[in-house]
Amino acid sequence: MNMVGANYTLRDEIREYWSERAATFDESPGHGIFSESERMAWHGLFARHLGPAEGRSALDLASGTGVVSHLLDELGFRVTGLDWSETMLERAKAKSAVRKSRIAFRLGDAERIMEEDASFDVIVTRHLVWTLVDPAAAFAEWLRVLKPGGTLIVIDGDFVNQGRIERLIVRLESLLARRGRGGNGTALSGDLAERHRSILARLPFREGARAEKVAAMVEQAGFCDIAIDRRLGAIHRAQARHMSLTRGLVRQVQHRYAIRAVKPVD
């Protein structure tokens, strides 16, 4: 139920939106993991930028149902998952109990982390940036809780602007849908889709979270050794196998990326 009042903020609205998404979050390709090939592709991405885990501490920000947390745990990191949706955390903890993982899931705001300075060796975020109400403050906060020499991985994309090829594919999907041959059952309901649009329209990245813009803001926050990695094809191809043909094609041409950044030692 939506709450209305002077104390109900955009942050609260975002938390409520994701809480309502929790029940079906893992059912969507790109959120949950549907194959061993995708799991291995994610492991490869993290190994490429983080190296051997060796028991280092990792913070999964906006951890949701714990998908990324479990990937990091499988690699040998000592993982903390932070999310401010209690509904998401309930599902993450239940999943963790079944898998007997060592992950510590905590309730908290990714923009206002209640952890001491220099607490983690690694921070990972996936599809969090577009929801940030104050990105500059958030990036500075992430720098604060990283240990000197620690690594930040931001996995995200521009889901607002469409390139020429993507526009053609979307038109094809629309044509197929009119003929009763499109769709894959993973689209948001009308109410959730409208709330998503409403929230996005009021956020700093409402015009799209382009890799270069996000990387520049991360650098301004004080990070160094920044690299934009667009080599996510193995992940996207694995996800596409569980989507409709058109959705799978869109996934592979969208502006998606990983940004690696390091906290300076001095």
Side-chain angles (χ1 to χ4, degrees):
M1 177 182 298
N2 290 332
M3 299 170 60
V4 177
N7 294 324
Y8 185 68
T9 67
L10 179 56
R11 293 177 187 271
D12 297 316
E13 192 172 343
I14 293 169
R15 179 176 60 233
E16 183 180 313
Y17 169 82
W18 285 112
S19 293
E20 293 192 30
R21 294 284 307 274
T24 59
F25 186 82
D26 287 344
E27 297 173 9
S28 299
H31 289 167
I33 292 179
F34 289 74
S35 67
E36 188 62 18
S37 62
E38 182 183 354
R39 184 181 307 281
M40 290 300 99
W42 280 110
H43 283 179
L45 174 67
F46 293 136
R48 184 158 74 236
H49 292 295
L50 299 176
E54 299 177 338
R56 287 180 293 155
S57 57
L59 176 62
D60 177 16
L61 285 176
S63 54
T65 63
V67 174
V68 171
S69 294
H70 280 285
L71 291 168
L72 294 170
D73 179 68
E74 290 161 5
L75 289 170
F77 288 95
R78 183 163 40 88
V79 184
T80 297
L82 188 74
D83 202 284
W84 66 345
S85 165
E86 293 183 2
T87 310
M88 285 284 193
L89 283 176
E90 287 172 4
R91 291 183 173 272
K93 290 177 180 179
K95 188 189 302 183
S96 183
V98 169
R99 299 184 182 184
K100 296 182 172 57
S101 73
R102 304 163 297 170
I103 304 167
F105 287 104
R106 301 176 186 171
L107 182 67
D109 184 348
E111 296 191 52
R112 301 168 179 173
I113 304 169
M114 303 298 289
E115 298 286 346
E116 295 182 358
D117 295 357
S119 294
F120 298 96
D121 296 294
V122 168
I123 293 178
V124 176
T125 79
R126 183 180 72 159
H127 303 167
L128 167 63
V129 165
W130 79 268
T131 72
L132 295 175
V133 175
D134 188 343
F139 298 149
E141 179 74 344
W142 302 353
L143 184 76
R144 180 186 69 78
V145 300
L146 264 181
K147 295 178 182 179
T151 303
L152 168 70
I153 303 292
V154 174
I155 301 152
D156 228 290
D158 177 1
F159 312 125
V160 177
N161 300 291
Q162 295 178 337
R164 183 177 61 85
I165 296 175
E166 185 178 352
R167 288 195 299 272
L168 289 172
I169 296 171
V170 170
R171 289 172 187 168
L172 173 61
E173 181 180 46
S174 177
L175 176 61
L176 291 174
R178 287 198 298 271
R179 295 182 178 181
R181 298 168 57 188
N184 63 355
T186 61
L188 295 178
S189 67
D191 176 63
L192 282 173
E194 178 53 39
R195 287 167 61 189
H196 182 282
R197 286 190 291 269
S198 174
I199 290 170
L200 177 60
R202 289 171 282 155
L203 290 169
F205 285 112
R206 57 186 169 272
E207 296 180 359
R210 306 296 291 185
E212 292 76 12
K213 181 176 181 180
V214 175
M217 293 185 72
V218 167
E219 184 175 24
Q220 289 168 7
F223 286 90
C224 66
D225 193 18
I226 297 168
I228 298 172
D229 185 355
R230 296 185 174 87
R231 296 171 293 166
L232 308 183
I235 294 171
H236 298 154
R237 286 191 295 272
Q239 293 171 346
R241 296 188 186 104
H242 301 273
M243 299 174 172
S244 69
L245 175 61
T246 51
R247 288 290 91 192
L249 290 172
V250 165
R251 178 57 50 99
Q252 296 181 71
V253 300
Q254 283 178 318
H255 180 85
R256 292 174 178 260
Y257 53 84
I259 295 172
R260 184 213 62 222
V262 176
K263 180 173 180 175
V265 175
D266 297 322

